[in-house]
Amino acid sequence: MKELNKITGIKVYQVELTMKEGHYSWSNQSFRSFDSTIIEIETSKGIKGYGEVCPLGPAYLPAYAEGARTGIAKIAGVLIGKDPENINEINSIMDNTLKGHPYVKSALDIACWDILGKATNQPIFALLGGMLQKKIKLFKVISRDVPEIMQQKVIDYQEQGFTQFQMKVGAEPSVDIRRIRSVAENLRTGNVLGADANCGWRQHDAIRVVKAVSDLDIYIEQPCPTYEECSVVRHRSNLPFILDECMIDLQSVLKAWNDQSVDVINLKIGRLGGLSKAKLIRDVCVSLGISLTIEDTWGSQIVDAAIAHLAHSTPREFHFQSSAFHEYTQVVTAVGQPTIDNGYMFCSKAPGLGIRPNFDVLGDPLSIFS
């Protein structure tokens, strides 16, 4: 009988991800850096796996950086001695140990996939369904700013080769209408623009905005905090709709599909609890004909590797776009990260995630569990 691989230790690191452009702004929030948690799982066979979770500040979702580390501390001891390659069992143990809090479990789940890939000498995309698209279409975020600056950014980003854009809105409606129009008017023919409110509008404000920009060829993303509000706005608009923050599990996805309230779902790995549950929802969406933005809340090179593997294993016709966060941050937490070229991302074909942590940046672990 094959000897089982066992988790012998878990280390937790903390890194502050500072922004290249000075700040990142959306809806009513703005940050100069994000607090990211990176974990290392050590095993009895000498294989090490890595994962990362980085909530977008403490008031974006029911998730925050210190909470991720506190939750990991609750779970880590229970995982010692378990087989990291038996990922379904690992997820069952995590769910039975800590109810809810999926973001806490995401980095641990990703690290187990990294171990499984290394143990079987396969890149994670091969384990998630195979290489179904050779290059991953990226969108470029246009951080919320005055309309004139956002207008110049879309011009500059198009010169860099990007063709898909997610502009941040969700503030005062009359200014957001100006923002959307000024960016859309500078969009090259064939390029794609989404206006992402990140839950920032009230229902009546969202209806006002979508009515004012109804003549434009754009997408509207997550206008309001709740699914019910977003559904009302969707049925008052002729524009294609992306749902993000309110898509928290498979049940919410199925409800939105049944209500005809969504055209594209923004699938964030950390919000769902890791690659395992993200893959499940990805596969269901593909079977239902729903296209996907595949990304995460935020992160560095390690999160980007997880995003790239999931996107590579998604059928091209159902992949709407993805993000690469390491192009926005000044910090290099790992090497071997996905490469970016002319608006596309390509991940390593090395086993597992394909990354190697940069311990000069990670420093000493905050916590060690064994």
Side-chain angles (χ1 to χ4, degrees):
M1 185 175 179
K2 179 184 175 182
E3 180 184 357
L4 292 179
N5 200 4
K6 295 182 180 180
I7 295 174
T8 58
I10 297 174
K11 295 179 181 178
V12 181
Y13 299 86
Q14 185 270 333
V15 179
E16 201 71 25
L17 304 178
T18 54
M19 300 295 104
K20 284 181 180 177
E21 294 186 353
H23 65 90
Y24 179 75
S25 302
W26 74 99
S27 186
N28 61 351
Q29 301 185 56
S30 183
F31 287 83
R32 294 188 176 276
S33 65
F34 294 104
D35 185 347
S36 186
T37 301
I38 293 169
I39 66 108
E40 174 188 81
I41 295 181
E42 300 174 307
T43 72
S44 58
K45 292 184 177 180
I47 301 172
K48 295 180 180 180
Y50 298 91
E52 179 182 15
V53 61
C54 184
L56 202 62
Y60 167 61
L61 291 173
Y64 66 109
E66 297 87 348
R69 294 188 284 271
T70 299
I72 289 168
K74 289 286 185 184
I75 295 171
V78 184
L79 296 180
I80 301 298
K82 301 300 188 293
D83 180 4
E85 298 175 43
N86 190 347
I87 297 178
N88 284 344
E89 182 185 43
I90 292 292
N91 275 272
S92 179
I93 291 169
M94 291 195 293
D95 288 342
N96 288 332
T97 303
L98 181 65
K99 187 175 180 64
H101 303 281
Y103 73 103
V104 167
K105 305 161 188 175
S106 183
L108 294 163
D109 175 82
I110 292 169
C112 288
W113 280 97
D114 190 24
I115 291 167
L116 179 61
K118 292 171 179 174
T120 59
N121 198 34
Q122 297 180 85
I124 289 177
F125 65 73
L127 302 173
L128 294 174
M131 175 72 80
L132 299 185
Q133 53 174 336
K134 293 183 179 179
K135 57 183 184 179
I136 301 162
K137 185 182 296 182
L138 296 177
F139 68 87
K140 187 74 171 178
V141 173
I142 304 171
S143 181
R144 182 177 57 80
D145 213 315
V146 297
E148 294 75 17
I149 291 177
M150 296 179 76
Q151 180 184 54
Q152 186 58 50
K153 282 184 176 180
V154 76
I155 294 171
D156 294 342
Y157 293 157
Q158 287 175 115
E159 289 296 323
Q160 296 171 19
F162 288 94
T163 61
Q164 304 222 170
F165 305 93
Q166 182 194 78
M167 62 176 298
K168 295 301 185 180
V169 287
E172 205 285 317
S174 61
V175 180
D176 277 339
I177 292 168
R178 287 178 49 220
R179 288 186 175 106
I180 294 169
R181 288 201 164 276
S182 63
V183 171
E185 288 167 1
N186 287 274
L187 200 68
R188 295 177 182 173
T189 301
N191 288 354
V192 177
L193 175 65
D196 183 9
N198 287 116
C199 307
W201 293 320
R202 301 280 74 78
Q203 181 178 305
H204 64 97
D205 289 329
I207 291 172
R208 175 182 165 193
V209 174
V210 299
K211 180 180 178 181
V213 300
S214 62
D215 60 311
L216 299 176
D217 182 14
I218 64 169
Y219 289 76
I220 298 294
E221 182 166 350
Q222 192 73 34
C224 305
T226 69
Y227 167 73
E228 289 75 17
E229 292 169 292
C230 289
S231 184
V232 169
V233 177
R234 191 284 200 281
H235 290 101
R236 297 283 294 273
S237 171
N238 64 324
L239 298 173
F241 236 66
I242 303 172
L243 290 180
D244 181 358
E245 288 84 358
C246 64
M247 296 289 96
I248 59 174
D249 53 23
L250 180 58
Q251 288 75 16
S252 58
V253 169
L254 292 173
K255 179 172 176 55
W257 172 75
N258 188 64
D259 293 344
Q260 299 182 5
S261 294
V262 66
D263 299 296
V264 179
I265 285 175
N266 190 326
L267 192 158
K268 286 187 168 76
I269 295 170
R271 187 182 66 224
L272 298 170
L275 283 170
S276 298
K277 291 175 182 174
K279 177 187 184 299
L280 170 64
I281 292 176
R282 186 273 309 270
D283 292 344
V284 170
C285 285
V286 168
S287 70
L288 295 175
I290 301 173
S291 291
L292 296 155
T293 293
I294 294 176
E295 56 160 345
D296 212 326
T297 48
W298 201 262
S300 65
Q301 289 79 6
I302 299 172
V303 154
D304 283 349
I307 292 169
H309 283 281
L310 186 60
H312 272 305
S313 62
T314 299
R316 182 179 55 80
E317 60 270 28
F318 290 104
H319 178 247
F320 183 58
Q321 58 188 3
S322 283
S323 57
F325 294 112
H326 72 271
E327 66 169 334
Y328 299 98
T329 180
Q330 298 175 328
V331 180
V332 180
T333 64
V335 297
Q337 73 273 13
T339 57
I340 299 171
D341 181 43
N342 202 34
Y344 286 88
M345 178 164 66
F346 312 79
C347 81
S348 168
K349 294 182 180 180
L353 287 173
I355 57 89
R356 300 186 307 282
N358 181 357
F359 288 103
D360 290 338
V361 169
L362 298 188
D364 296 326
L366 294 180
S367 307
I368 300 176
F369 304 91
S370 59

